[in-house]
């Protein structure tokens, strides 16, 4: 058979997103001009989305190992040991560009893809999370995008039967032309039954299972590696179409097959579809793979080798099976009404060979395809530091309580109930702390354990000071898990930035990674996997730097979990940590004063560790009834959120040494508010550790009262807090 070829012009190379230098590297590897199919394979495998060519040099800074880490970065998802012979498997990934172009399917297939990353490893998914960023509420596209994304996440997750238990949503004009949709899944598996994507066994069959291949999603990975322009709406064909009911069948079929001694290697067909799955399995195993594309189940007539290899149709998996297990595997897949096809076999050639219609369509050496992919140490400009802003340099509101209502009813601190009530957050019956708090808590069945889950990032801090912003993103996720009583164990990240070819954007990326790595190290919170999403900008307007952190922690005794709702009158509220009234880069300045100025609050990582460990100890000893970390909006917002969750008011006293608005809305880090029946014991224990702790006041009544004369009814705050989303969406 001869290798089919088409003349490759510079225009075709450019259309595939390869630079002239990168194409020269292709020619060196191949020793000849590539076929169109081969060019397509190089294009997607060397895309930013698949190769991390602009970020790899920085990602090496992340700490990825701890005794409880079973699998770090490099597989479909990361794996940690949670004790009792069990493992938690989790990862977060972006579907930003597809969701802007087609919000429902973009968000839905983002959920489907991350679910597959997790159950590919042998885990049953138990929880979904998401981190969303939209443009200004009054932007003409925002309502449409919010509606479509939320419906897509709910539609897919609800149908597949996995609860969506936590998330975050923010609005900022920087996302007007490029929204962010980051999806995370957490699963459970036996620690001794983890499945990997390492092809092995010369002659072993390579098997395709799941849904048929169509033309949807072709060049999705390449599209996700380029910035938007005025023609972006024309890229709808690169957005995949999801079918959650097929995904549910695929989960059950794969888990059933995994219970048998049948699978040698398994990989989901995510970005770059059959290309990435076959290349990655072959590379990790140091083998070759031969595929007969005439055997691939397709749903459209006349599909070419190029289209089959680059399609990103959903709900598909690639496996290497033991030869004696093929009939058992076929029977399981047919029982679940899924396609099953033996499309190739493992070879000792180290090459990916593709045939179709009696011709060789591609013959590529796998190892150089992967190892010689471009790596760029791009020039970068550090973000200039901002001046520290003293509390006295900021403007006090005319009415503190009305400023509080504006914040609580504004786009970024209002209730997200409208969102999470569209998600089935209770399916499976294991959600012990629901959305709306610091972290959600999900029971680990047949044990006393639970997992605490959170996603976090404060982009305005990252924009003002990437290093401090990176530290804070990790520290806040760690704090949110700690606030439930759980021990934070590991994190996954989704690094969303603009065009890395611009030195100022690369400076943001580098700074955030450095800050995150420092925090991960001090907090013993290793990175076990993640995703980098670059080129998030339109017509040169970049998003805010948004390195989302998704964290997992473990509660050994679920009965010791604490919520943010204090649930009783007469409890003492205590502020843990020092409040200096830090208003630089604060939510108050942005949303009330309309200003973006001042350095963000510094993050003292040793203090974060000491304070968080102390809070966790107080919770474990039963001294805390409720706990909430202090972040966006400061201590007054934190107390208000606890009161709204409890439907019980509070009477608190300000610190007379600070300007009132700075005390109320300052965003100093390493702080918590706790509700307790044992205030003296709590304060004494913290004092022994040299951790500041101040009694704020008592819970009770139906109002929020600050000092001697500032009072507002809880109902009026609740009305504003719950009203933003229904008003925005016209409901």
């Amino acid at each position: 058979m001869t290798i089919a070829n088409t003349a490759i012009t510079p225009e075709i190379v450019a259309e595939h997103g390869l630079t002239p230098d990168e194409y020269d590297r292709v020619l060196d590897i191949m020793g000849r001009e590539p076929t169109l199919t081969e060019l397509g394979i190089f294009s997607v495998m060397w895309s930013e989305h698949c190769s991390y060519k602009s970020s790899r040099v920085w990602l090496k800074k992340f700490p990825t190992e701890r005794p409880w880490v079973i699998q770090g970065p490099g597989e479909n998802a990361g794996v940690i040991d949670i004790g009792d012979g069990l493992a938690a498997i989790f990862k977060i990934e972006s579907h930003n560009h597809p969701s802007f172009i087609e919000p429902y399917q973009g968000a839905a297939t983002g959920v489907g893809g991350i679910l597959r990353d997790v159950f590919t490893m042998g885990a049953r998914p138990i929880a979904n999370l998401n981190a969303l960023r939209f443009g200004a509420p009054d932007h003409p596209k925002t309502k449409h995008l919010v509606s479509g994304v939320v419906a897509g996440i709910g539609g897919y997750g609800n149908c597949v039967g996995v609860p969506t238990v936590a998330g975050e949503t923010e609005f900022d004009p920087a996302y007007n032309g490029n929204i962010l949709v980051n999806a995370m899944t957490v699963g459970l598996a036996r620690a001794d039954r983890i499945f990997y994507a390492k092809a092995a066994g010369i002659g072993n069959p390579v098997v395709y299972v799941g849904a048929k291949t169509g033309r949807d999603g072709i060049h999705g990975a390449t599209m996700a590696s380029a910035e938007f322009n005025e023609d972006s709406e024309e890229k709808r064909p690169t957005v995949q179409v999801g079918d959650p009911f097929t995904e549910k069948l695929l989960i059950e079929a794969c888990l059933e097959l995994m219970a048998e001694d049948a699978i040698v290697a398994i990989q989901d067909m995510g970005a770059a579809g059959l290309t990435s799955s076959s290349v990655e399995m072959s590379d990790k195993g140091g083998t070759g793979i031969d595929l007969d594309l005439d055997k691939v189940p397709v749903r459209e007539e006349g599909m070419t080798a190029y289209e089959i290899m680059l399609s990103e149709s959903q709900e598909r998996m690639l496996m290497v099976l033991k030869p004696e297990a093929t009939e058992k595997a076929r029977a399981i897949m047919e029982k679940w009404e899924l396609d099953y096809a033996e499309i190739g076999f493992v070879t000792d050639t180290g090459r990916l060979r593709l045939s179709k219609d009696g011709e060789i369509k591609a013959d590529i050496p796998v190892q150089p395809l992967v190892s010689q992919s471009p790596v760029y140490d791009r020039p970068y400009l550090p973000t200039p530091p901002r001046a520290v802003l003293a509390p006295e340099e900021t403007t006090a509101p005319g009415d503190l309580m009305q400023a509080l209502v504006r914040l609580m009813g504004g786009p970024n601190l209002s209730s997200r109930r409208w969102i999470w009530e569209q998600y089935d957050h209770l399916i499976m019956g294991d959600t012990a702390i629901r959305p709306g708090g610091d972290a959600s808590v999900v029971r680990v069945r047949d044990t006393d354990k639970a997992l605490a889950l959170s996603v976090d990032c404060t982009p305005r801090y990252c924009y003002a000071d990437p290093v401090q912003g990176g530290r804070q993103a990790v520290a806040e996720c760690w704090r949110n898990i700690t606030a439930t009583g759980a021990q934070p164990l590991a994190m996954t990240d989704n690094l969303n930035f603009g065009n890395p070819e611009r030195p100022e954007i690369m400076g943001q990326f580098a700074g955030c990674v450095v800050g995150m790595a420092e925090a991960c190290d001090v907090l013993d919170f290793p990175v076990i996997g993640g995703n980098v999403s670059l080129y998030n900008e339109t017509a040169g307007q970049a998003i805010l730097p948004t390195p989302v952190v998704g964290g997992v922690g473990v509660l050994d005794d679920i009965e010791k979990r604490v919520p943010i709702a204090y649930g009783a009158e007469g409890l003492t509220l205590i502020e843990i940590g020092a409040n200096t009234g830090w208003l630089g880069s604060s939510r108050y300045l942005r949303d009330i004063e309309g200003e973006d100025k001042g350095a963000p609050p510094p993050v003292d990582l040793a203090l974060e560790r000491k304070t968080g460990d102390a809070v966790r100890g107080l919770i474990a000893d039963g001294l805390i009834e409720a706990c909430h970390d202090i972040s966006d909006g400061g201590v007054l917002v934190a107390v208000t959120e606890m009161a709204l969750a409890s439907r019980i008011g509070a009477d608190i006293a300000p610190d007379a040494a600070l300007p009132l608005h700075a005390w109320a809305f300052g965003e100093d880090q390493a702080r918590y508010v706790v509700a307790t029946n044992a205030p003296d014991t709590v304060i004494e224990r913290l004092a022994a550790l040299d951790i500041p702790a101040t009694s704020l006041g008592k819970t009770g009544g139906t109002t929020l009262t600050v000092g001697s004369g500032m009072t507002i009814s809880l109902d009026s705050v609740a009305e504003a807090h719950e009203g933003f989303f229904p008003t925005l969406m016209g409901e």
Side-chain angles (χ1 to χ4, degrees):
M1 292 186 289
T2 59
I3 295 181
N5 210 347
T6 300
I8 304 299
T9 65
E11 291 75 19
I12 290 176
V13 172
E15 287 172 3
H16 281 75
L18 295 172
T19 68
D21 286 344
E22 289 171 348
Y23 184 63
D24 286 343
R25 186 175 301 194
V26 172
L27 294 176
D28 288 342
I29 290 172
M30 297 299 295
R32 58 173 170 79
E33 183 179 271
T35 67
L36 185 62
T37 300
E38 290 168 339
L39 181 68
I41 289 171
F42 275 96
S43 168
V44 293
M45 292 305 299
W46 288 7
S47 69
E48 197 74 61
H49 189 79
C50 292
S51 74
Y52 299 96
K53 58 189 174 185
S54 296
S55 58
R56 262 189 283 171
V57 296
W58 291 97
L59 299 179
K60 294 176 182 178
K61 293 183 177 295
F62 285 142
T64 60
E65 297 180 351
R66 286 298 188 271
W68 53 89
V69 175
I70 296 173
Q71 174 64 53
E75 270 289 344
N76 288 291
V79 186
I80 57 172
D81 189 336
I82 63 169
D84 294 331
L86 296 173
I89 300 178
F90 60 97
K91 191 181 180 186
I92 190 169
E93 281 206 343
S94 62
H95 234 220
N96 303 334
H97 287 57
S99 298
F100 183 79
I101 295 170
E102 198 347 275
Y104 184 95
Q105 290 296 347
T109 52
V111 174
I114 198 65
L115 281 164
R116 288 194 300 282
D117 279 339
V118 168
F119 74 75
T120 295
M121 301 288 292
R124 177 170 291 280
I126 64 164
N128 289 329
L129 302 86
N130 54 76
L132 312 178
R133 295 293 186 283
F134 298 102
D138 59 358
H139 188 273
K141 280 193 172 182
T142 296
K143 178 179 175 180
H144 162 70
L145 292 169
V146 170
S147 176
V149 166
V150 172
I153 292 170
Y156 205 100
N158 295 353
C159 291
V160 86
V162 178
T164 301
V165 300
E168 58 163 9
T169 303
E170 285 192 4
F171 296 84
D172 190 281
Y175 305 99
N176 280 347
N178 201 125
I179 64 173
L180 301 184
V181 176
N182 296 174
M184 176 175 168
T185 292
V186 182
L188 289 171
R190 280 173 44 188
D192 61 351
R193 294 288 290 171
I194 309 300
F195 290 81
Y196 299 96
K198 182 179 179 181
I202 306 308
N204 278 347
V206 176
V207 174
Y208 172 119
V209 302
K212 289 180 169 61
T213 295
R215 290 189 171 97
D216 53 320
I218 292 173
H219 268 301
T222 308
M223 178 270 292
S225 305
E227 62 182 84
F228 281 152
N229 55 39
E230 63 274 9
D231 300 323
S232 295
E233 293 292 339
E234 298 175 6
K235 296 180 179 178
R236 286 182 187 274
T238 63
V239 179
Q240 310 94 318
V241 178
D243 179 354
F245 299 104
T246 299
E247 182 101 335
K248 175 62 174 172
L249 299 177
L250 190 59
I251 291 173
E252 299 304 330
C254 287
L255 292 177
E256 182 175 339
L257 184 57
M258 287 167 172
E260 307 285 346
D261 187 22
I263 297 175
V264 176
I266 182 169
Q267 173 81 38
D268 85 298
M269 296 190 214
L274 187 52
T275 289
S276 63
S277 56
S278 56
V279 169
E280 289 172 12
M281 291 175 75
S282 178
D283 177 61
K284 289 172 182 175
T287 67
I289 286 181
D290 280 13
L291 299 179
D292 181 350
L293 301 185
D294 288 319
K295 296 180 179 179
V296 173
V298 295
R299 64 169 183 260
E300 300 182 49
E301 293 183 2
M303 289 190 69
T304 65
Y306 180 99
E307 291 172 324
I308 291 170
M309 290 303 295
L310 271 60
S311 167
E312 294 185 9
S313 294
Q314 297 291 285
E315 295 86 39
R316 302 179 301 157
M317 308 285 276
L318 196 66
M319 301 178 182
V320 175
L321 298 180
K322 296 180 178 179
E324 65 272 18
T326 55
E327 289 311 307
K328 181 186 297 181
R330 182 189 299 275
I332 289 173
M333 293 302 154
E334 289 179 352
K335 182 183 81 171
W336 291 100
E337 299 180 348
L338 296 167
D339 277 288
Y340 172 97
E342 295 174 28
I343 65 171
F345 54 92
V346 178
T347 72
D348 61 1
T349 64
R351 304 181 75 85
L352 177 67
R353 286 167 48 97
L354 311 174
S355 63
K356 191 174 190 306
D357 302 326
E359 291 185 313
I360 299 295
K361 299 294 186 179
D363 187 352
I364 301 174
V366 172
Q367 194 273 333
L369 169 64
V370 176
S371 66
Q372 294 182 37
S373 65
V375 177
Y376 296 121
D377 189 358
R378 297 195 185 276
Y380 66 95
L381 289 174
T383 300
R386 292 185 179 185
V388 172
L389 190 66
E392 295 78 12
E393 297 178 79
T394 61
T395 303
D399 186 319
L400 184 83
M401 303 310 271
Q402 286 306 310
L404 173 66
V405 171
R406 284 180 59 193
L407 282 171
M408 298 305 297
N412 291 306
L413 292 180
S414 57
S415 170
R416 272 52 183 147
R417 183 185 304 276
W418 182 90
I419 294 177
W420 57 258
E421 283 191 343
Q422 296 184 56
Y423 306 152
D424 192 333
H425 52 278
L426 297 176
I427 195 169
M428 299 174 72
D430 293 321
T431 308
I433 293 183
R434 304 180 184 189
D438 285 325
S440 289
V441 173
V442 179
R443 185 184 316 276
V444 178
R445 288 187 181 181
D446 302 320
T447 74
D448 294 328
K449 295 180 181 292
L451 299 182
L453 316 171
S454 184
V455 288
D456 295 282
C457 184
T458 309
R460 65 181 186 279
Y461 292 172
C462 297
Y463 182 73
D465 184 334
V467 175
Q468 293 293 351
R471 288 176 183 164
Q472 196 273 342
V474 174
E476 185 176 351
C477 184
W478 189 88
R479 278 202 308 268
N480 282 335
I481 292 169
T482 289
T484 68
Q487 175 67 55
L489 287 182
M491 56 162 274
T492 177
D493 60 65
N494 209 135
L495 307 179
N496 306 275
F497 291 81
N499 184 343
E501 297 168 46
R502 295 167 55 195
E504 66 273 21
I505 299 298
M506 202 63 217
Q508 294 173 352
F509 184 91
C512 284
V513 168
V514 167
M516 293 171 72
E518 292 172 351
C520 291
D521 199 43
V522 174
L523 299 175
D524 274 334
F525 204 38
V527 178
I528 64 166
N531 175 242
V532 177
S533 176
L534 302 176
Y535 296 94
N536 288 290
E537 55 183 79
T538 299
Q541 177 61 50
I543 62 166
L544 295 177
T546 312
V548 171
V549 174
V552 173
V554 174
L555 268 162
D556 287 329
D557 183 355
I558 191 173
E559 298 305 321
K560 292 188 175 181
R561 69 191 184 280
V562 297
I564 71 166
Y566 40 73
E569 300 199 359
L571 298 175
T572 299
L573 295 172
I574 296 174
E575 179 182 9
I576 299 174
N579 185 349
T580 71
W582 195 289
L583 285 172
S585 297
S586 66
R587 178 60 61 200
Y588 169 79
L589 279 187
R590 286 179 75 98
D591 289 8
I592 301 300
E593 298 301 322
E595 296 180 315
D596 179 18
K597 63 182 182 180
V603 180
D604 183 331
L605 294 168
L607 181 61
E608 287 280 4
R609 177 69 183 261
K610 181 170 74 167
T611 306
D613 289 349
V615 167
R616 211 177 305 108
L618 293 169
I619 292 172
D621 290 342
L623 294 170
I624 303 298
E625 304 299 319
C627 182
H628 191 11
D629 91 305
I630 299 174
S631 53
D632 268 20
V635 66
L636 183 54
V637 165
V639 170
T640 303
E641 288 172 338
M642 295 175 82
L644 289 170
S646 308
R647 296 298 178 183
I648 296 171
D651 188 339
I652 59 175
D655 182 348
L658 292 171
L660 181 61
H661 72 294
W663 165 82
F665 302 125
E667 295 182 2
D668 296 87
Q669 300 295 292
R671 289 191 297 157
Y672 302 79
V673 175
V674 299
T676 179
N677 272 316
D680 294 341
T681 303
V682 169
I683 290 174
E684 287 170 8
R685 281 183 50 166
L686 293 168
L689 296 169
D690 197 27
I691 297 172
T694 306
S695 177
L696 290 171
K698 295 281 190 179
T699 68
T702 59
T703 63
L704 284 168
T705 300
V706 177
S708 58
M710 291 169 286
T711 298
I712 192 167
S713 75
L714 199 57
D715 284 346
S716 63
V717 180
E719 182 179 1
H721 188 55
E722 297 288 347
F724 171 79
F725 267 99
T727 300
L728 174 68
M729 305 310 292
E731 296 179 6

